[in-house]
Amino acid sequence: MKKVLILFAHPTFEKSRANLTLIKHIKDIAGVTFHDLYERYPDFHIDVEKEQELLNHHDVIVWHHPFYWYSCPPLMKQWIDMVLEFNWAYGPSGKALTSKACINVITTGGSKDLYCTEGTNSFTVNQFLRPFEQTANLCGMDYFPPYAVMGTYTLTDKQLTQHGKEYAKLIDLFQKDLKIAAAEGCFFSNNIPQLKQD
Ligand SMILES: Cc1cc2nc3c(=O)[nH]c(=O)nc-3n(C[C@H](O)[C@H](O)[C@H](O)COP(=O)(O)O)c2cc1C
């Protein structure tokens, strides 16, 4: 079974509704390491060696965060800047992350209809997340389209719980066989995973 590392960044997790629900559904799954970056590094001083060791021991890397100003909260960016070192993550001798799977899991206040050419936000979330996609590409990882829970302000508790269950199913698919998941169309429908209901 593949090991999954959830790198989670939320500056105000104590006030969270959407991510709190999502995380409740995945943090205790066997083979999943839930790593809360703001809890571990409130001073932004990242232990690079420790983070690289964690990455070495996992097959699937999840960048999980609320969408802030069309990107990630600052500690996630700091993590990327510090941990993905030249000749470790990329560069001539940088092969540490080759062939690991990578995905963004995000929550957005804006609803899906705002994220298109005609919408207020002009671009899709996949387009906004291109820097993450290319970072993963440069490091030789297999980047999957993001799992986005959108329009969080208007989602009911029941809908959020449903998303939590979907997230757990997504993790389960990553832990088992990505080829089967892709073949079943779990990842590529409308660029957001559409998971089959039980
Ligand atoms: C500083 C800040 C920036 C935000 N930027 C965006 C944004 O660019 N696009 C968007 O759709 N929502 C944005 N939001 C809304 C958050 O994404 C939303 O509140 C969050 O995903 C809800 O998750 P939570 O209940 O776990 O906090 C922003 C919120 C804050 C506080």
Side-chain angles (χ1 to χ4, degrees), residues 10 16-19 66-70 107-110 115 152-153:
H10 193 320
S16 163
R17 181 169 166 260
N19 287 285
F67 212 36
Y68 273 13
W69 287 108
Y70 307 109
T107 57
T108 71
Y115 283 92
T152 53
Y153 299 123

Side-chain angles (χ1 to χ4, degrees), residues 108 110-123 150-151:
T108 71
S111 56
K112 192 178 172 192
D113 54 300
L114 303 180
Y115 283 92
C116 62
T117 317
E118 300 77 27
T120 316
N121 294 322
S122 308
F123 304 99
M150 308 184 77

